[in-house]
Structure formats: structure tokens, C-alpha cells
Amino acid sequence: MEASCRKVARAIPTPISQKITLYPAEDRFFGPRPAVLVLPGGGFRELPPHEGEGYARWLSGRGIHAFVLSYRLLPDRFPAPLEDARAGLDHIRNGDHGLDVGRVGVIGSSAGGQLAGLLMTGQVLSIEEGVADPPRPDFAILAYALADLDLLPPPVVENLLGDLLPIKDELSPAKHVDASVCPTFVWATAQDPPGLPNALEWTRALAAAAVPVELHVYPGGSHGIGLADGVEYGGEPHKFIAREPHTASWTTACAAWLRREGVLAD
């Protein structure tokens, strides 16, 4: 067990630009635009297109550059996906993508929300070496995002973490929230057993640290519903795709929040 928690240093085997699909803000928007790193969910086993391309097309239509990241999945375990997420943020701010970028945020769903949370808190894991001052987002959107691994059934956590179980608390981002965390929009549905308690925990932790947070809980829709508009992306149906018109209004609420936070001016 001690060996499983040894410090490791890993190189990203593929240039991060090759792991990102870019959806620029629509042509009707001019000048510097905000940008968002999109982290789909999928339990570190898949990257559902409706939480990647779906979100990206919505963001692009709102005048936001969207960068969908295909981060490493199982059997690669942490810190691999976190390394990819940090590199994705760095690429948006400093990369050769040719876009005029303003504030940089992150949107994460479910497991992607755990990654977003680790970015938000600037978490550096004890199994990492040579990591200092990791990049952090300027704002965050959390969709039924994992806040605390203690809120999941133990068998699920054991299957997810494997020999990394001793650093479970390090990988629970809500445990590391402080006043330095960026403003955050949180949403989930009342019919989502993992999503709702995690959304509530996110809100509790952020509010306790005096971080600006807005929470929306919608009555209908299961875990992984994404935009809740019933639209398929990627050419294949996904089990979590459903149409819940009221839940789908979370994007309108989120756009209003982005305007309130000064991310969007129009």
C-alpha cells in the first residue's frame, strides 16, 4: 500500500492541443471573448459527447470559445487526468490557437466536475512531484459535479480509485475550498442521487468560504442529463440523453449568471 502512494512524475504522452477540440465563439461576436475548458463526465470510463460537443455548441452560441478536452481515462488514474486538465487551461491562456481570449473558465459534469473542482482549488496531490502554482480558472460551472468522494458508495470509490484509495480526501475537491476559489455556478436535479448531495456540498463549502456561488436544483432529470434538450451528439445515442424542458433552462440561468459576474457583457 505504501508503494501505491509513492510520488510519481508523468509526462503527457500526446501534445495537449491534439486532445482538444475547439469550438470558437460564433462569427457574430467580436473582440476578446471569454473561453471555457469543457470537461465531460463519464466516470473516467468515457467522455459523453452531449457533455462535450453539446456544451461547446451552447457556449459558442453565447460568444464563448469552448475547448473540449479528451482527458485520459481508466486504466490511467490520477494524476493523469488532472495533468491533462491543467495543460488544457495553460493551452487556452498561452497556446497557439489564434483566438483572442479574455477570462478563462471551466465547465465540468459529474467526474469532469471533480476535475474542474481540483483545478478550482489548485489541488496538488501528494503523489506528484515538481508541481507548483498550478493554473486555476477564473470562473466555474459545475453540472451535478462530484464534490466529495465520501458522498459516493464505498464500492464505487474503491473501483474508481484502486490503489489510490489512501488519497481519497485529496481527490475530494470540496474539502479544499477556500476564499481563493473562483465564482461558481452549480446545478443538479432532485432526481439525481449522486448529483444532488454533491451539488449541495459544493454550495455549502463555497458559501462557508465566502466564495460567490449560485445553486439551481431542478425537479426532473437523471444524472448525466447534460443540456437536457434531448439532442444527440457524436452520432450515437447515449443512455443519459433526455428532454426535460424546465431543466434545460439551466443554460439560461447560467448565461444570466455569467453576465452578472462580468464574464459576458452582451
Side-chain angles (χ1 to χ4, degrees):
M1 185 66 71
E2 292 179 359
S4 69
C5 291
R6 66 187 183 280
K7 292 183 179 293
V8 298
R10 304 184 187 183
I12 298 175
T14 304
I16 200 65
S17 61
Q18 296 182 25
K19 296 184 176 187
I20 287 176
T21 304
L22 173 58
Y23 297 79
E26 291 183 357
D27 291 342
R28 58 194 173 94
F29 297 99
F30 301 96
R33 304 304 306 175
V36 168
L37 180 67
V38 182
L39 302 173
F44 297 103
R45 289 175 172 79
E46 61 171 336
L47 298 170
H50 69 290
E51 295 175 345
E53 181 184 352
Y55 288 176
R57 292 192 180 279
W58 161 61
L59 292 164
S60 173
R62 291 286 186 176
I64 299 172
H65 302 312
F67 295 72
V68 181
L69 177 64
S70 296
Y71 55 85
R72 279 173 283 178
L73 303 173
L74 294 170
D76 287 325
R77 298 187 186 272
F78 282 99
L82 181 55
E83 290 170 344
D84 290 347
R86 291 175 185 146
L89 273 185
D90 279 337
H91 174 76
I92 295 173
R93 289 194 171 109
N94 310 312
D96 184 19
H97 45 64
L99 298 176
D100 194 353
V101 169
R103 293 172 70 181
V104 178
V106 63
I107 182 170
S109 302
S110 192
Q114 178 189 14
L115 275 183
L118 294 172
L119 291 178
M120 292 159 58
T121 58
Q123 181 73 339
V124 176
L125 307 177
S126 60
I127 58 174
E128 297 183 280
E129 286 184 340
V131 178
D133 194 24
R136 299 171 71 172
D138 301 317
F139 61 94
I141 304 165
L142 300 179
Y144 41 88
L146 179 59
D148 190 334
L149 287 163
D150 287 334
L151 296 174
L152 297 181
V156 173
V157 177
E158 292 169 9
N159 189 42
L160 179 65
L161 296 186
D163 59 8
L164 296 181
L165 195 59
I167 64 166
K168 173 173 62 70
D169 285 354
E170 294 182 39
L171 293 167
S172 297
K175 293 183 182 292
H176 309 289
V177 169
D178 60 25
S180 70
V181 172
C182 61
T184 307
F185 181 93
V186 181
W187 78 271
T189 76
Q191 294 179 333
D192 180 355
L196 180 58
N198 278 279
L200 296 176
E201 177 57 19
W202 268 119
T203 305
R204 185 208 62 76
L206 291 163
V211 174
V213 58
E214 180 167 323
L215 168 68
H216 291 258
V217 177
Y218 297 90
S222 64
H223 189 75
I225 197 170
L227 293 174
D229 59 1
V231 177
E232 296 177 4
Y233 293 88
E236 295 184 7
H238 193 278
K239 61 182 178 179
F240 291 128
I241 292 175
R243 186 173 183 272
E244 290 279 353
H246 181 52
T247 303
S249 69
W250 76 263
T251 57
T252 302
C254 186
W257 175 81
L258 289 168
R259 289 191 293 270
R260 181 185 182 279
E261 291 298 324
V263 175
L264 286 178
D266 48 15

